[in-house]
Each structure stands twice: as structure tokens, then as C-alpha cells.
Amino acid sequence: MIRVVDGPFDPAAELARFARGRTDVGAVASFVGRVRDHDGRVPILAMTLEHYPGMTERMLARLEAEARRRWPLLDVLVIHRVGRMLPGEPIVLVATAAAHRHAAFESCAFLMDWLKTRAPFWKLEETPEGERWVEARSSDDEAAARWEQPAAE
Amino acid sequence: MIRVVDGPFDPAAELARFARGRTDVGAVASFVGRVRDHDGRVPILAMTLEHYPGMTERMLARLEAEARRRWPLLDVLVIHRVGRMLPGEPIVLVATAAAHRHAAFESCAFLMDWLKTRAPFWKLEETPEGERWVEARSSDDEAAARWEQPAAE
Amino acid sequence: MRVRYFAWLRQRTGVAEEEIDPPAEVRTVGDLARYLAQRHPRLGEVLQSRGVVRFAVNQEYADADTPVGPRDEVAFFPPVTGG
Amino acid sequence: MRVRYFAWLRQRTGVAEEEIDPPAEVRTVGDLARYLAQRHPRLGEVLQSRGVVRFAVNQEYADADTPVGPRDEVAFFPPVTGG
């Protein structure tokens, strides 16, 4: 399931509900991305996530479908927040459930790597010197590229 | 921090507390291993985790230290349950916090791989045909072996 | 045709979206970009630089050769930075 | 010397741990294993098979050449299966 939310969300509460009561699940991997209070030596006072409503949901749904095609997943959850948020607050939660751990771990990392390079979100940081748009990082492109090969199952 | 517990624990509640309030954390990766209700076609009615008290804590502490040596981690949590447990119940929780996602993801997978091959736990399954000890899997040894090389940081 | 701009490209056009009626010669995303560069000179400055601007047509990633028509929604935005 | 057995090795000896006083010739884990094989024949059956049994001395992984003494805690167990 995918969700784009424009206010705070609670990753622990979401994880408490995720795959609850399913006794066929042997492994749950999850990732939470949070706003940090600095980037290198620059303090970050706040972060605003802009997105492309409609295309965002479409791309996230496609990422979920691709992860399910590559790994035998029993459940998938992607929550991405948009709008303005403060250091320490969660930006994104990805959780995957499978019978075995490698499928859970790999699909979770895959979803984050592709989300970072394919889902239409843009980060605007507020620093003491003013606002600045976060630049895309080539390391994210490289991380995403490693999944271009068929999954080693 | 490492903990060996002999009763149920709540991974979501643990994750709610993990690295809470830390605004230098940009990434939290976690893994929960649960008792499954079957293994292939064999129903699993319950699972008992035996361990080697003393050596267990020593090995888990060493795994945490090794993970912290390899990646710039801001926090680490390993909880492993022992005793008898039922399908759906958590066996193990590993969580790692870092500034960036690759350190969090990789160290979490590393901790699980080494825990599976180095920490003195043994699983006894209860099936309709009686009890049986789970056999070590060569795939776990192979997964652990990939970390023998220095971490690609 | 509806055109949308995101992130710092939006700050260069000064509008988040607009309805336009480009001339018939505008058949592809690349044609449209050249047309919009005249309309928004500060957008034009960056549309030249390869790799800086991404395109979507009807909410699907597109490239300069992707055809566009009057009923399409076309978006211009920088490389994404979510997650 | 304290000797501990875990998982299905414990089921073969019938005891979880025991205090023993082996003869002076028992200087290594390998010597001890041969000595214990006489004491617990059903343990002896599997101690021969390489890779089936793991050793620890004072709660550290050990091998057949690791020295053992009267004040040591030595453990025998199958490959681990936690997590």
C-alpha cells in the first residue's frame, strides 16, 4: 500500500499495524528517513517536500508493483510525507514483509533507491542563510542503477 | 544496545523509543524476524529458542561493536528472544540509525547475517509429527561470508 | 495544453501551471521547451543544459522526442530529491 | 573442568552440563572430545563428523587444537540457528 500524507505520521504506529496477525510472515524489513538538523556544516532549520500530485502516487504504485514482481512479498507499505517538516520528523517509511529475510531486506533497499530517483519529490531546505533546493546526488543514481539487472533471487 | 529476553517483546514499541529525539539521525533501518506457521509444507505449532547464556550476550556485544567499527552508526539495537514462542511472535529485532541510508541498511543486514551464523541460539520446532531441531543453512553461511571483505563504505 | 512547473523551475517561471495554446509546429516536448523558453526567459536559460531538466507527459516520464498535443499535461522539473 | 552441551547434543548426553576431572593427557578440545566420546557414546557418534559439532572455550569459539585446563568452561553444540 502507498500513501502520500501532508502532515506528521508515526512510523512506529504504522509498523505496529503492518502485517499484523499474519503468521506466514517470517521477516519484516523497514526503513525510516528523517529530517536531519544539519547537512555537513550547514544547519537545517526545516525542510519542505514538494511533489507532483497524481504522478507521485502513480510512480509509487509502480514501484510497489515492481518490488512485488521481483520478490515474493507478503506485504508492502510506503508512506511519504509532503509539506513543511522539522528536524527529527519522519519523511518516508518503507516496510516489506516476506517469508525470508533476504527478500524483505533487498526489496526495502530497492524501494528506497528507486523512490529517491524516480518519485517526483523535491526537497527545499531552510538554513540560516535562507532557502535552498537540495541537489540530486549521483550516488543515488548509482544506488538505483544496481537494481537495473534482474534481481539475484 | 543488546538485550536477550525470555518473554514477548513489542518491536513497534522498541522502535518508537529507538533514536527518539535525535535530530542528527537521517536514516533508521530495522529488521524483525518472526515465527512462521509453516516451513515448506510442514506446519509449525511453536518454536523454542535455546541459547548459551553469557556467550550469547558476549557475541551480540561483539557484533554491535563490529557494526559500529564498520559504519558510522548513531545507534544500534539488537533484541533476541529465547524460550518458547508461537507463530506470529517476534524472535529478533535489529535496528540501526545513521546519518545516511546506506550505512543503516548495510549494518542492519550485516548484523542479521552474522547473528544467524555466530550467536549461540538454536531453534527447536514443534510440528504435528513432533519436535525437530532446525538445521543450519549453507545459504546463511554464504550471506555471512559476504561481509568478510572490508565494508565498501 | 496544460503545462506544470515544479521546484526551482517553478520559481523561474513564476507560475506553477498554465494553460497554453502553442502553434501547430510544437509537436514534441523538445519543441514545447523551445517555445516556453521564449515565453519564460529565465526558464530558457536552464532548458538548454542537458540533465538539469526532466519532463513528464500525462504524468509519465518523457524525453525531448515525446509527442505532445492540445489535451496533454506536460511537466518540467529538476531531478527528484525525495525519500 | 565444566563441560556444557546444547541443543541436540545435550539430548545425546542427557545432561546440560557436568563437572569433570579428565586425565592429564587431555590438553586440547580435541583430546577432550575423544575423552567425552567414551563417557557419552551417543555423543561420540557425532563428534567424529567434522562440521556437525562446534566448540567454545570460556564462551569463545574454539577449535580442536585450542588448549583446555581444569578451570575452563568448554561447550559443545551444533551450528547455530538463531535470528
Side-chain angles (χ1 to χ4, degrees):
Chain A
M1 191 174 73
I2 62 145
R3 271 161 51 203
V4 178
V5 298
D6 62 3
F9 71 101
D10 181 346
E14 299 293 342
L15 288 170
R17 281 187 287 273
F18 181 68
R20 178 154 64 186
R22 289 197 66 157
T23 53
D24 54 345
V25 168
V28 173
S30 74
F31 178 84
V32 177
R34 298 188 194 177
V35 181
R36 288 194 306 141
D37 59 10
H38 68 281
D39 181 13
R41 249 138 280 131
V42 180
I44 306 298
L45 308 175
M47 176 92 86
T48 298
L49 264 289
E50 181 174 333
H51 78 127
Y52 184 169
M55 183 170 174
T56 307
E57 291 80 357
R58 183 190 293 243
M59 293 307 296
L60 291 181
R62 195 169 302 165
L63 294 193
E64 174 178 349
E66 180 64 22
R68 287 181 181 272
R69 194 182 68 76
R70 293 183 178 216
W71 292 277
L73 300 179
L74 299 170
D75 208 349
V76 176
L77 176 63
V78 177
I79 300 177
H80 201 296
R81 185 173 167 192
V82 295
R84 186 170 182 273
M85 52 203 92
L86 299 174
E89 293 187 341
I91 305 170
V92 63
L93 166 68
V94 171
T96 54
H100 300 290
R101 78 185 186 286
H102 293 302
F105 266 126
E106 289 180 13
S107 59
C108 190
F110 163 83
L111 282 164
M112 277 307 302
D113 285 342
W114 274 31
L115 188 156
K116 285 225 169 226
T117 52
R118 285 163 167 73
F121 294 102
W122 302 275
K123 281 180 179 149
L124 179 68
E125 291 173 340
E126 294 172 37
T127 79
E129 276 77 51
E131 295 183 343
R132 62 179 199 186
W133 292 95
V134 172
E135 282 191 45
R137 302 196 309 178
S138 58
S139 62
D140 284 335
D141 288 333
E142 288 153 22
R146 71 187 158 128
W147 302 106
E148 296 290 348
Q149 291 81 14
E153 245 306 274
Chain B
M1 193 174 73
I2 63 146
R3 270 159 53 204
V4 178
V5 298
D6 62 2
F9 70 100
D10 180 346
E14 299 293 342
L15 288 170
R17 280 187 287 272
F18 181 68
R20 179 154 63 186
R22 288 195 66 156
T23 52
D24 54 346
V25 168
V28 173
S30 75
F31 177 84
V32 177
R34 298 188 194 177
V35 181
R36 287 194 305 141
D37 59 9
H38 69 280
D39 181 13
R41 249 137 280 133
V42 181
I44 306 298
L45 308 175
M47 174 92 84
T48 298
L49 264 288
E50 180 175 334
H51 78 128
Y52 185 169
M55 184 170 174
T56 307
E57 291 80 358
R58 183 190 293 243
M59 293 308 296
L60 292 181
R62 196 169 301 166
L63 294 194
E64 175 179 348
E66 180 63 23
R68 287 181 182 272
R69 195 183 68 76
R70 292 183 179 216
W71 292 277
L73 299 179
L74 299 170
D75 209 349
V76 176
L77 176 63
V78 177
I79 300 177
H80 201 297
R81 184 173 168 192
V82 295
R84 186 170 182 274
M85 52 203 91
L86 299 174
E89 294 187 339
I91 306 169
V92 63
L93 165 67
V94 171
T96 54
H100 299 290
R101 78 184 186 287
H102 293 300
F105 266 126
E106 288 180 14
S107 59
C108 191
F110 163 82
L111 282 164
M112 277 306 303
D113 285 342
W114 274 30
L115 189 156
K116 286 227 169 223
T117 53
R118 284 163 169 74
F121 294 101
W122 301 276
K123 281 181 178 147
L124 179 68
E125 292 173 341
E126 294 172 37
T127 78
E129 276 77 51
E131 294 183 342
R132 63 178 197 186
W133 291 95
V134 172
E135 283 191 44
R137 302 196 309 179
S138 59
S139 62
D140 284 335
D141 289 333
E142 288 153 22
R146 71 187 159 126
W147 302 105
E148 296 290 349
Q149 291 81 15
E153 242 306 273
Chain C
M1 184 183 303
R2 172 176 299 239
V3 184
R4 306 180 70 167
Y5 308 96
F6 292 94
W8 55 265
L9 291 191
R10 174 174 42 73
Q11 295 176 319
R12 290 196 161 229
T13 61
V15 294
E17 55 183 88
E18 53 189 348
E19 285 288 336
I20 61 166
D21 188 10
E25 307 91 80
V26 169
R27 293 197 184 86
T28 67
V29 170
D31 297 339
L32 180 64
R34 280 181 288 277
Y35 173 74
L36 292 169
Q38 298 169 341
R39 191 177 168 102
H40 302 291
R42 293 196 58 230
L43 179 66
E45 291 166 15
V46 295
L47 281 177
Q48 316 305 325
S49 325
R50 282 213 160 269
V52 172
V53 178
R54 299 281 185 273
F55 321 115
V57 174
N58 298 327
Q59 305 186 356
E60 296 283 347
Y61 282 107
D63 58 34
D65 298 331
T66 305
V68 293
R71 321 191 110 219
D72 288 333
E73 172 176 303
V74 185
F76 295 82
F77 48 78
V80 304
T81 58
Chain D
M1 184 183 303
R2 173 176 299 239
V3 184
R4 306 180 71 166
Y5 308 96
F6 292 95
W8 56 264
L9 290 192
R10 174 173 41 73
Q11 295 177 321
R12 291 199 161 226
T13 61
V15 294
E17 56 182 87
E18 54 189 349
E19 285 286 337
I20 60 166
D21 188 10
E25 306 91 81
V26 170
R27 293 197 184 87
T28 66
V29 169
D31 297 339
L32 180 64
R34 280 182 288 278
Y35 172 75
L36 292 169
Q38 297 168 343
R39 193 176 167 102
H40 302 291
R42 294 196 57 229
L43 180 66
E45 289 166 17
V46 295
L47 282 177
Q48 316 305 324
S49 324
R50 281 211 162 271
V52 172
V53 178
R54 298 281 186 273
F55 321 115
V57 175
N58 298 327
Q59 304 186 358
E60 296 282 348
Y61 282 106
D63 57 34
D65 298 330
T66 305
V68 294
R71 322 191 109 219
D72 288 333
E73 172 177 302
V74 185
F76 295 83
F77 47 80
V80 304
T81 58

